[in-house]
Amino acid sequence: MAVLIVINIGTLVGMHPEGTWALKGTELCDLPRLENAWLLSHDDIISGFGSMDKLPEHFVNVKTIDAKGGFVFPSWCDSHTHIVFAASREEEFAMKIAGKSYEEIAAAGGGILNSARKLQLASEEELFESASLRLQDMIMQGTGAVEIKSGYGLTTESELKMLRVIRRLKESSPVMIRASFLAAHAYPPEYKNNHHGYIKLITEEMLPKIADEGLADYMDVFCEKGFFSVDETDQLLQEAAKYDLAPKIHANQLSISGGVEVGIKNLAISVDHLEATDEQVIANLINTNTIATLLPSCSFYLNIPYANARGLIQADIPVAIASDYNPGSTPSGNMNFVVSLACLKLKMQPEEAINAATINGAAAMELSEQMGSLQLYKKASYFVTRPMPSLAFLPYSFGQSQITTVVLNGEIQ
Ligand code: NIG
Ligand code: FE
């Protein structure tokens, strides 16, 4: 059995009590900490932690990481990404700088359809290689669990290809991975005037095949003006439910689309984006089990409004934050930056942002029993930082990595 102990931890962070699901309201500020601590794992599982004053003697000869006074955080749980793609889109970056909006770029042949054309030409192997490199970067930036979406295939063959790549990543990576099926990301050009035909293709051809191969955990739809309407989203989510695929959906990114409400109606695990959100949308989320997943680096990159995190937190709605890593609206999967932006732009306190990126992110992937906090019997997935003057130093020192060591499943990466 592989035993690993971290000693001389300046501050051990995030030992939420067993059974903690998503934190909401004032609880979101509760971030348990222990100073001058040790953390022990057996194989991939946390088997103990405590104060250095009481370091059990029989652990002195095991494999040891000396944290030298640094912090230890539970791995980031990034519950919304699109990291399987064939090519970057920095030509759109130039258009954006020149003042074109996301919608204008899409209308000019950029956007999701641009990524789909390129992905359709790429081999499964190429996609697997490039996504593995992105995942490796995310690992070294502290991420230990990721949700990955399809949605750049838009044909049966290419959607299956994307989902098979995600399955290979699941099998080969130490990161815990969840897959979402997002064929309803955009209408392919040949279905532009035949929405019914594409929905039929998704529900009658793609969904049965995906279910048959067990390729997806969730169903996603881009519910937005010019993409999928509320009625179309409803129909898709109801069909997906027949295959036990719960919704995690794109809602209210560019406008108040009705996506939140149709998500709630279909018992969505999470409704994501919410950059356009009014009081009514917040009221509708109250007393549901749906998590609001906010993506501040998307707002940053597209220069669109930031979600009303404070309004959601005040209304006792569980808030998670995620990267949205994709080639069009967020070409970065750095959760440290997401946490900094959550503080600076969503006005979340450091404790709130860290909880939203760990325990609440885990809940948004239904991984609360294994990830999101440092607790006995959970995965030994965490990162060690340099010594820092305080917890707030992590988001405060934006853009500068504080991470010195990454451990996933009890193994140093
Ligand atoms: O979450 N909004 C839909 N999907 C992505 C962007 C997709 C793209 O531009 O390639 C998002 O922002
Ligand atoms: Fe997204």
Side-chain angles (χ1 to χ4, degrees):
M1 189 172 268
V3 184
L4 176 67
I5 189 161
V6 193
I7 57 166
N8 297 323
I9 301 171
T11 308
L12 181 67
V13 181
M15 306 82 74
H16 291 287
E18 216 189 309
T20 305
W21 180 67
L23 301 171
K24 42 190 173 181
T26 52
E27 298 165 355
L28 194 58
C29 263
D30 297 342
L31 184 55
R33 271 162 276 184
L34 179 66
E35 306 220 327
N36 194 26
W38 53 270
L39 173 69
L40 179 76
S41 57
H42 280 77
D43 290 338
D44 56 336
I45 300 295
I46 295 173
S47 47
F49 56 86
S51 162
M52 283 302 288
D53 308 338
K54 297 182 210 131
L55 181 65
E57 250 172 52
H58 52 285
F59 291 135
V60 287
N61 281 326
V62 302
K63 187 164 181 186
T64 301
I65 298 171
D66 186 344
K68 297 188 180 139
F71 281 58
V72 171
F73 289 88
S75 295
W76 303 128
C77 294
D78 188 352
S79 64
H80 182 136
T81 81
H82 312 240
I83 63 165
V84 178
F85 54 85
S88 56
R89 302 209 313 247
E90 60 272 22
E91 65 284 3
E92 295 178 16
F93 186 54
M95 290 169 80
K96 227 174 63 65
I97 294 165
K100 293 267 178 288
S101 71
Y102 184 72
E103 291 94 323
E104 287 168 328
I105 291 168
I112 296 164
L113 296 181
N114 178 6
S115 281
R117 275 191 302 275
K118 290 177 178 151
L119 186 131
Q120 287 161 4
L121 298 173
S123 70
E124 187 178 314
E125 198 54 41
E126 285 163 349
L127 293 171
F128 174 71
E129 290 301 324
S130 61
S132 299
L133 290 176
R134 285 175 205 121
L135 201 52
Q136 189 53 33
D137 283 346
M138 293 164 81
I139 289 172
M140 296 326 283
Q141 289 162 346
T143 296
V146 178
E147 180 257 19
I148 310 174
K149 299 171 192 299
S150 70
Y152 291 128
L154 310 186
T155 64
T156 305
E157 188 194 336
S158 290
E159 282 295 310
L160 286 169
K161 180 168 67 179
M162 281 190 86
L163 290 167
R164 289 189 187 122
V165 168
I166 300 171
R167 182 174 59 194
R168 280 177 70 184
L169 295 169
K170 266 188 198 186
E171 289 163 0
S172 62
S173 167
V175 172
M176 203 167 277
I177 294 175
R178 298 295 237 175
S180 295
F181 173 48
L182 177 58
H185 199 188
Y187 281 101
E190 59 276 30
Y191 288 99
K192 194 169 169 233
N193 298 313
N194 178 16
H195 287 191
H196 176 74
Y198 189 54
I199 290 178
K200 204 163 147 185
L201 183 73
I202 295 176
T203 56
E204 292 182 12
E205 191 175 295
M206 297 189 198
L207 269 173
K209 288 200 169 127
I210 285 160
D212 204 43
E213 288 188 45
L215 285 171
D217 302 298
Y218 302 110
M219 179 73 178
D220 197 343
V221 177
F222 186 18
C223 184
E224 185 63 58
K225 231 185 271 156
F227 293 85
F228 290 78
S229 71
V230 169
D231 286 346
E232 291 164 353
T233 304
D234 197 24
Q235 194 190 337
L236 287 161
L237 298 183
Q238 287 186 31
E239 286 300 318
K242 295 183 185 158
Y243 300 96
D244 276 338
L245 299 182
K248 276 175 69 66
I249 68 169
H250 284 73
N252 292 11
Q253 178 178 10
L254 307 170
S255 64
I256 296 185
S257 65
V260 169
E261 292 71 17
V262 73
I264 294 168
K265 174 179 173 227
N266 287 281
L267 307 177
I269 305 295
S270 68
V271 286
D272 302 18
H273 275 284
L274 312 190
E275 288 87 346
T277 289
D278 62 10
E279 292 301 314
Q280 190 54 51
V281 172
I282 294 180
N284 293 340
L285 274 165
I286 295 174
N287 294 328
T288 70
N289 281 324
T290 298
I291 294 170
T293 298
L294 310 182
L295 310 166
S297 46
C298 174
S299 296
F300 173 78
Y301 183 80
L302 291 185
N303 211 8
I304 60 173
Y306 286 85
N308 182 3
R310 287 264 55 99
L312 289 158
I313 295 167
Q314 236 156 44
D316 258 353
I317 293 151
V319 169
I321 54 173
S323 73
D324 198 20
Y325 192 178
N326 75 75
S329 73
T330 322
S332 160
N334 188 342
M335 283 295 284
N336 304 285
F337 184 57
V338 173
V339 170
S340 291
L341 278 180
C343 296
L344 289 164
K345 301 292 186 181
L346 301 179
K347 311 281 177 228
M348 294 171 77
Q349 289 297 329
E351 293 82 354
E352 293 178 317
I354 290 163
N355 278 328
T358 53
I359 191 91
N360 285 12
M365 295 184 274
E366 297 178 290
L367 293 175
S368 303
E369 282 173 19
Q370 299 162 77
M371 297 291 298
S373 62
L374 297 177
Q375 191 47 263
L376 295 184
Y377 312 119
K378 281 204 174 184
K379 288 281 181 193
S381 293
Y382 52 85
F383 60 88
V384 184
T385 73
R386 295 174 185 163
M388 302 190 292
S390 71
L391 181 95
F393 190 83
L394 187 78
Y396 158 86
S397 61
F398 77 92
Q400 303 186 73
S401 178
Q402 302 302 330
I403 299 177
T404 58
T405 310
V406 170
V407 173
L408 292 181
N409 309 317
E411 283 180 20
I412 300 172
Q413 302 299 304

